[in-house]
Amino acid sequence: MEPIGEEGKDRKKYIPSALILLFIVLAVIAYFAASNPALALVSATCGVLVWALVPSGLGHSPGPAGDADPKELKTYRKEHPGSTVADAVRATRKK
């Protein structure tokens, strides 16, 4: 097996969102197209459970940034275009 590169790690973070979307689509199809409210309820419940049980949450929030220096965050964001504030907080905390 090949080690997971940066692309693989980026793709993995979308799995919970894709599963939630899949369960919602299945619930809508089961309710409206198949006229099966029980199956729709089960699908919707699975989607809610995935959303609730994802350990890092969907927003991937780093938590409170009380000890993060705004100047360091700004410098990090300038050096890494396209990064989010959460990415900058994580990176500056590791120092």
Side-chain angles (χ1 to χ4, degrees):
M1 280 178 49
E2 293 181 26
I4 298 176
E6 288 299 317
E7 280 187 24
K9 289 180 184 176
D10 287 342
R11 286 188 205 140
K12 282 180 104 176
K13 71 180 179 181
Y14 296 111
I15 291 173
S17 300
L19 281 174
I20 293 168
L21 184 62
L22 174 71
F23 284 125
I24 290 172
V25 169
L26 287 175
V28 169
I29 290 171
Y31 187 78
F32 290 108
S35 299
N36 191 343
L39 183 60
L41 182 63
V42 169
S43 295
T45 303
C46 289
V48 170
L49 285 174
V50 169
W51 174 62
L53 298 177
V54 171
S56 62
L58 293 180
H60 303 288
S61 173
D67 58 347
D69 182 26
K71 291 179 184 177
E72 288 181 14
L73 297 178
K74 190 173 183 179
T75 303
Y76 181 86
R77 301 256 341 254
K78 283 183 180 179
E79 292 172 357
H80 300 88
S83 66
T84 63
V85 173
D87 294 336
V89 170
R90 277 189 218 103
T92 56
R93 279 190 179 170
K94 291 180 183 177
K95 292 182 179 179

